[in-house]
Amino acid sequence: MTSKNKKPETTTIAGCLVGLTHYLTSFTQSCEEESEHTAVIYHYASMAIDPTVTLVRYNIPKAGLQLFTKHAPQFNDYLYRDHMVSQLIYCSNPLSQNLF
């Protein structure tokens, strides 16, 4: 997903995300437990659902969304932080000043 040289193998990445979704069902990695892997998992799952990336097939975003659907409470601190940052960016945009 982060390689600049090669095209990513979409089926492999989607399969890894699906496997990770099933793994997290049994072995949780939550923000409250301060697990070191939680931030990494959240980062790659967020990259998977990034709408700015042009894809031919949508199996990677689908797998990322399924991961967040089943395990959103495990990433609630990160989801809240990203939501607040996006709201601050939106409110600081000069075009949105007319809405207030």
Side-chain angles (χ1 to χ4, degrees), residues 5 12 17 20 28 30-31 39 42-43 48-50 55 57 61-62 65-66 70 78 86-88 93-94 99:
N5 300 338
T12 304
L17 287 170
L20 184 61
T28 61
S30 68
C31 300
Y42 178 77
H43 173 72
I49 63 170
D50 184 17
L55 297 171
R57 296 186 53 167
K62 179 182 175 185
L65 287 172
Q66 286 176 341
K70 291 186 178 184
Y78 297 114
S86 66
Q87 289 298 317
L88 287 172
N93 187 359
L99 298 176

Side-chain angles (χ1 to χ4, degrees), residues 42-98:
Y42 178 77
H43 173 72
Y44 283 108
S46 296
M47 285 175 47
I49 63 170
D50 184 17
T52 61
V53 178
T54 305
L55 297 171
V56 177
R57 296 186 53 167
Y58 295 101
N59 53 356
I60 294 176
K62 179 182 175 185
L65 287 172
Q66 286 176 341
L67 188 140
F68 281 127
T69 300
K70 291 186 178 184
H71 304 292
Q74 294 177 10
F75 304 108
N76 59 358
D77 291 343
Y78 297 114
L79 290 168
Y80 180 73
R81 183 196 63 205
D82 285 351
H83 175 72
M84 291 305 295
V85 167
S86 66
Q87 289 298 317
L88 287 172
I89 291 171
Y90 175 75
C91 290
S92 65
N93 187 359
L95 297 176
S96 66
Q97 297 299 321
N98 297 333

Side-chain angles (χ1 to χ4, degrees), residues 18-55:
V18 169
L20 184 61
T21 302
H22 295 301
Y23 177 79
L24 289 175
T25 303
S26 299
F27 304 101
T28 61
Q29 300 285 325
S30 68
C31 300
E32 290 82 21
E33 297 172 359
E34 297 179 5
S35 173
E36 63 220 26
H37 303 294
T38 307
V40 176
I41 293 170
Y42 178 77
H43 173 72
Y44 283 108
S46 296
M47 285 175 47
I49 63 170
D50 184 17
T52 61
V53 178
T54 305
L55 297 171

